[in-house]
Amino acid sequence: MRARNRRLSARPAGFLPPALNVEFANEIYSAIRGWIETALNWYYISAVTVMLFVCFYLMCGRFGNIRLGDDDSRPEFSNFSWFAMLFSAGVGIGLLFFGIAEPIFYFDNAAAWGYPNNPFADHNGVAEMTTDRAVAAMRVTYFHWGFHGWAVYVMVGLCLAYFGFRKKLPLTLRSALYPVIGDRIYGPIGHAVDLLAVFGTVFGVATSLGLGVSQMATGLNHLFGIDPGLMTQVILIGLITIVATLSAVSGVGNGIRIISEWNIYLSIVLLAFFLFGGPTKWLLGFFVTSIGDYLWNVIPMDFQTFNDAGDAKWQGSWTIFYWGWWISWAPFVGMFIARISRGRTIRQFMVGVMFVPTTIAFFWLCIFGGNAMYMELNAVGGVGTAGVIELVRAWNLPSALYGTIEQMTTIHWLNWSMAALSTFLLATWFITSSDSGTLVITTMLSMGDDNPPKRFRIIWGLGEGFVAAVLLMSGGLKALQTASIAAALPVSVIMLLMTYGILKSLNEDSSAVPASGATVAPDGTSLKGELRT
C-alpha cells in the first residue's frame, strides 16, 4: 500500500489532466466506483425501493384526484405527445444500446468478466443456456428497466409538478424541500440543492451521450466503413450537441415535441422489423412468459443484496450502476416530466408515467433481446454459436445490435436499411434527451422560468456535449458509468427528503395556494412566485 501511495504521490511531477492521462484516470474512476459499489450498494437499493413503495401508495391512495395545478386546469399536451416525450426523454438511447447486449449477457454463462453473468439464474439452478435461462435473463433486464427506475422519475416529477403548479412555487428542486427546511430554501442550502441537480443532470446526459455515440460510430462503421474510433465519436458528440442545442432554443412545443413524436413513429418501424422479421409466435409467447416471471420475482429481487465477492461484483457493475444512472437522470427527467404534465391529476400522472413507458420498454427489450437469444438457442453450430454472444463476451456491446440485425433476414438492403434506421434513432433519441436536459438545467438556474433565456440554453447545451467528450476521452465507458454513479449519491439524499416532503405536505394541506405578488426571494433571488408562509 505504501508503495502504491508513493507512486500516486509522485504523479504531479509528470501530471496530465485525466482526459490526456487515461491510465491515471481509470485508476481514479475504478477506486471511486469500487468504493460506492461495495460500501453503499445497500443504500442505493434501499433508496430506490422506498421511492417505489411511496409511488404505489400515492397512486392508490386518497390523494390521487388532486390536480397538478389549479382545480380547473387541464393538460397542455395530448396523451400521444405526452407519452412520446416521456419515452424519448426517459429511456431512448439506453434501449438501443442495451436492448440486445444486456439480455444476451445475462443469458450467457461463461463468466468471462470474473463474475457470474446472472446470479439469480445460477442460484435457481438454471446454469445451462436454455429457454429457462433466457426467461431469467429477461427477468433481470426488466428489473433494471422497469418499475424501480421509473419510480425514481415519477417521484421527482410529482414533487416538482405538485409544488410548482399546485403550490405555486418556483419550478426548481429546492421548492420540494420547503416542508422540510422552510424558508431556508432561499439561501445557500437551496442554491446547493439546485446546483447538485444541475451537475447530476449534466453527468446523466453525458453518460447517455457517451453510450449513444459509441454505438452510432459502430453503426457508421457497419454501414459505410468509417473508423469508429475516438475521433469519430467526438465529432458525433459535437454534431449532435449543436442540433440538440438548436432544438432546446426552439422550446418544448416545437423542436422537442416534434422530434419526440417522430422518434415514436420511426421506433415503431424498427420494432415491427424485429417482431415480424423474427420468430413472431415464439416472441409473443416469450413476452407473456417473461413478464409473468418478472412480476412473480420482482419483490424478492428488490431486497436482494449479495455478499459473495463474485455476485457482489455483478450487482455493483449492473444493478448499482443502473440505480445510479436512473437517479442521476431523475432531476432532469423529473423536471421535464413535470414541465409537460401540468393539469393532470396525481393518479393520471403516476399511472401514465409509471406504466405506459415501462410496458413499451418491456416489449421492446423482449423483442430485441428475444430475437438474439432465439438465434443463439437455435444456432446451426450449437447453442451459443450464432455470434452475438461472442460480441458481448468481447465487451463489444455497441456491435450486438448490428450483429443481430445482420442475421435477421437474407435481404441485404433490408438489413442495411434497419441498421441505418437504428443509427439515425440513436441520434434523434439523444437529441430529445439533450435538449430536454438543457431546458431543465436552464429552468432550474432561472428559478423555475418556463421560458429561460436562450443564451443560457446555448451555453448549457454546448456544455453538456463538452462534458461528455471529456469523460469519453478520459476513460470511456468506465468513466461515464463512474460519473453517473457518483453524481447519484448526493442527489439520492435530496430525493429521499423530497419524498418525505410531499408526503408531509399532502397530509397537512393538499389545497392549492395562490401565488403572492412577490417577485424577489428573501436573499434577493428573482422569483416567479412566492412561498406560502
Side-chain angles (χ1 to χ4, degrees):
M1 178 61 73
R2 290 179 179 176
R4 175 179 172 82
N5 289 340
R6 283 197 298 272
R7 288 198 302 271
L8 291 176
S9 64
R11 287 190 183 275
F15 179 77
L16 289 172
L20 302 178
N21 192 337
V22 176
E23 181 181 350
F24 182 44
N26 277 326
E27 288 185 19
I28 296 174
Y29 299 140
S30 297
I32 294 173
R33 184 175 177 181
W35 178 78
I36 292 175
E37 289 174 351
T38 55
L40 295 177
N41 62 332
W42 63 270
Y43 168 74
Y44 278 80
I45 291 171
S46 300
V48 173
T49 301
V50 166
M51 284 182 274
L52 176 67
F53 279 93
V54 171
C55 281
F56 279 107
Y57 164 73
L58 292 176
M59 186 188 306
C60 302
R62 58 191 176 93
F63 304 115
N65 292 326
I66 295 173
R67 200 165 288 278
L68 300 175
D70 297 327
D71 289 335
D72 60 351
S73 62
R74 292 297 180 267
E76 178 182 359
F77 299 101
S78 69
N79 286 335
F80 177 76
S81 295
W82 188 52
F83 293 142
M85 288 188 282
L86 289 178
F87 190 77
S88 294
V91 295
I93 284 180
L95 287 182
L96 273 174
F97 188 90
F98 287 109
I100 289 175
E102 187 171 353
I104 282 290
F105 183 89
Y106 303 145
F107 174 70
D108 190 14
N109 60 4
W113 287 87
Y115 54 82
N117 289 74
N118 189 342
F120 293 102
D122 294 344
H123 292 172
N124 291 331
V126 189
E128 298 298 320
M129 288 190 289
T130 61
T131 302
D132 288 341
R133 190 171 177 91
V135 171
M138 292 312 306
R139 179 202 314 164
V140 182
T141 306
Y142 294 153
F143 179 58
H144 290 154
W145 289 91
F147 296 129
H148 290 76
W150 279 95
V152 174
Y153 289 172
V154 167
M155 204 67 250
V156 175
L158 177 65
C159 289
L160 293 172
Y162 174 76
F163 287 104
F165 303 141
R166 185 77 180 177
K167 293 294 187 178
K168 312 300 183 183
L169 310 184
L171 191 62
T172 63
L173 221 64
R174 68 173 75 192
S175 296
L177 296 183
Y178 182 75
V180 181
I181 62 176
D183 286 334
R184 282 178 292 175
I185 66 167
Y186 288 136
I189 296 177
H191 299 327
V193 166
D194 284 348
L195 285 175
L196 283 173
V198 167
F199 286 122
T201 298
V202 169
F203 286 119
V205 173
T207 301
S208 289
L209 179 53
L211 297 176
V213 297
S214 64
Q215 195 166 36
M216 285 179 62
T218 300
L220 292 175
N221 176 258
H222 178 81
L223 295 167
F224 306 110
I226 297 174
D227 177 24
L230 184 62
M231 181 57 66
T232 299
Q233 295 180 37
V234 172
I235 292 173
L236 287 172
I237 287 177
L239 294 174
I240 294 174
T241 298
I242 291 172
V243 177
T245 302
L246 293 174
S247 177
V249 170
S250 70
V252 175
N254 296 313
I256 296 175
R257 178 186 60 82
I258 293 171
I259 297 175
S260 295
E261 290 178 356
W262 274 102
N263 279 350
I264 298 300
Y265 297 138
L266 295 176
S267 297
I268 290 173
V269 173
L270 185 61
L271 188 62
F273 169 74
F274 271 84
L275 176 60
F276 299 110
T280 307
K281 182 179 178 180
W282 185 90
L283 289 170
L284 293 175
F286 185 60
F287 175 68
V288 174
T289 301
S290 59
I291 285 293
D293 181 76
Y294 163 73
L295 295 175
W296 183 260
N297 291 283
V298 62
I299 297 301
M301 293 174 69
D302 187 21
F303 291 96
Q304 180 72 60
T305 56
F306 293 114
N307 295 317
D308 177 77
D311 293 348
K313 179 64 176 175
W314 175 89
Q315 189 169 54
S317 299
W318 290 95
T319 302
I320 303 306
F321 161 66
Y322 269 115
W323 288 180
W325 193 11
W326 285 100
I327 291 171
S328 66
W329 264 52
F332 139 51
V333 179
M335 173 76 76
F336 183 71
I337 291 173
R339 170 68 181 79
I340 63 176
S341 301
R342 185 200 302 262
R344 299 183 185 272
T345 66
I346 288 179
R347 185 169 293 113
Q348 289 171 345
F349 174 88
M350 303 196 79
V351 170
V353 180
M354 179 76 82
F355 288 100
V356 175
T358 302
T359 302
I360 296 172
F362 285 170
F363 190 69
W364 180 288
L365 291 164
C366 181
I367 300 306
F368 276 62
N371 263 293
M373 288 188 286
Y374 184 86
M375 290 176 184
E376 296 292 355
L377 285 168
N378 297 277
V380 175
V383 176
T385 62
V388 184
I389 281 182
E390 292 302 320
L391 292 172
V392 175
R393 283 179 186 170
W395 210 243
N396 192 0
L397 303 186
S399 294
L401 172 63
Y402 298 101
T404 302
I405 291 175
E406 192 173 348
Q407 300 183 54
M408 289 289 295
T409 75
T410 57
I411 305 174
H412 175 71
W413 68 265
L414 181 58
N415 289 340
W416 190 93
S417 299
M418 291 301 105
L421 177 59
S422 299
T423 305
F424 181 73
L425 274 172
L426 284 166
T428 57
W429 266 350
F430 178 73
I431 289 170
T432 55
S433 296
S434 181
D435 56 18
S436 304
T438 300
L439 190 65
V440 164
I441 289 172
T442 52
T443 296
M444 284 190 286
L445 295 177
S446 303
M447 283 302 293
D449 187 353
D450 285 346
N451 188 31
K454 291 183 178 181
R455 64 180 183 279
F456 289 174
R457 301 185 218 181
I458 294 172
I459 292 171
W460 283 97
L462 298 177
E464 290 169 7
F466 176 77
V467 170
V470 170
L471 288 172
L472 200 63
M473 289 188 292
S474 64
L477 181 59
K478 183 180 292 185
L480 295 164
Q481 290 177 323
T482 302
S484 179
I485 293 173
L489 184 57
V491 174
S492 66
V493 176
I494 296 171
M495 290 173 59
L496 290 174
L497 291 174
M498 292 170 62
T499 302
Y500 168 76
I502 192 169
L503 288 173
K504 183 174 184 291
S505 181
L506 284 169
N507 279 286
E508 289 179 354
D509 179 14
S510 60
S511 63
V513 180
S516 74
T519 58
V520 179
D523 68 342
T525 303
S526 176
L527 294 174
K528 290 186 64 183
E530 182 57 87
L531 287 168
R532 174 169 62 93
T533 57

